[in-house]
């Protein structure tokens, strides 16, 4: 499994916020907001790289469960969690959490659902293209749909379950 790296540009801002002294709180908050906005483009670029990595990883599955691919996809998704919210893109974070949850559930069951993974990756791409800036009803519906897809695998399989 390859190591997953993600450069988090908000680390610079976090360091500045921890430095004692300095500006009054109101000015610091204004600057922080401006700083986050300037980091947004960097965040989007890094999230595009994350999406590309996730799509390449998921594309290596040949229809059957592959523990190495499942582990790598989980690592890719979970490494990026938090970055979108720090850049004002919380819906993308929600989609990443859902993808990580789904992958974890699939690993636990030692199964693979290419459609469920593909739905998550397409939603991630859609949210990136719309920059997930608006908390619209459409975005809410997408995120609720992802939650439902991943939750299908959250419950243990019943011994009498019929595939369908």
């Amino acid at each position: 499994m390859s190591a997953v790296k993600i450069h988090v540009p908000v680390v610079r801002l976090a360091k500045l916020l921890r430095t004692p002294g300095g500006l009054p709180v109101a000015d610091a908050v204004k600057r922080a907001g401006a700083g986050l906005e300037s980091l947004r483009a960097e965040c989007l670029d890094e999230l595009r790289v994350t999406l590309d990595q996730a799509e390449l990883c998921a594309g290596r599955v040949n229809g059957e469960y592959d523990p190495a691919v499942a582990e790598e996809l989980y690592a890719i998704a979970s490494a990026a969690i938090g970055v979108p919210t720090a850049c004002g893109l919380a819906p993308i974070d929600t989609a990443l959490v859902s993808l990580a949850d789904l992958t974890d559930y699939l690993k636990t069951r030692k199964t693979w659902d290419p459609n469920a993974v593909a739905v998550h990756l397409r939603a991630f791409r859609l949210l990136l293209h719309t920059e997930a800036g608006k908390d619209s009803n459409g975005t809410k519906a997408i995120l609720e749909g992802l939650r439902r897809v991943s939750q299908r695998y959250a419950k243990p399989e019943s011994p009498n379950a019929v595939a369908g």
Side-chain angles (χ1 to χ4, degrees):
M1 173 174 73
S2 64
V4 176
K5 287 184 175 180
I6 187 158
H7 170 71
V8 183
V10 293
V11 170
R12 290 178 272 157
L13 180 60
K15 250 189 229 178
L16 289 173
L17 291 174
R18 285 194 302 265
T19 306
L23 299 172
V25 172
D27 292 340
V29 168
K30 276 186 198 175
R31 282 191 180 182
L36 285 176
E37 192 56 40
S38 71
L39 295 174
R40 188 179 177 111
E42 259 184 84
C43 281
L44 286 170
D45 288 343
E46 290 185 24
L47 290 168
R48 284 183 194 101
V49 169
T50 298
L51 176 59
D52 290 343
Q53 290 174 338
E55 288 174 334
L56 286 171
C57 177
R60 291 197 321 262
V61 173
N62 292 324
E64 293 185 24
Y65 176 72
D66 181 334
V69 170
E71 187 62 40
E72 184 178 347
L73 184 58
Y74 177 83
I76 290 167
S78 63
I81 292 173
V83 173
T85 296
C87 296
L89 304 168
I92 295 174
D93 234 350
T94 303
L96 284 169
V97 168
S98 185
L99 176 58
D101 286 348
L102 171 67
T103 309
D104 190 44
Y105 301 145
L106 294 174
K107 287 182 348 182
T108 299
R109 289 182 175 210
K110 294 181 179 20
T111 191
W112 191 253
D113 184 340
N115 293 325
V117 172
V119 163
H120 277 78
L121 295 175
R122 283 193 303 268
F124 184 180
R125 183 164 299 284
L126 177 64
L127 292 171
L128 270 175
H129 283 294
T130 61
E131 296 186 32
K134 298 173 186 75
D135 198 17
S136 69
N137 288 336
T139 299
K140 289 176 186 175
I142 289 168
L143 298 175
E144 177 57 24
L146 293 179
R147 187 194 65 74
R148 275 189 258 133
V149 168
S150 66
Q151 288 302 302
R152 282 191 352 218
Y153 291 95
K155 298 176 185 130
E157 283 185 286
S158 88
N160 298 326
V162 176

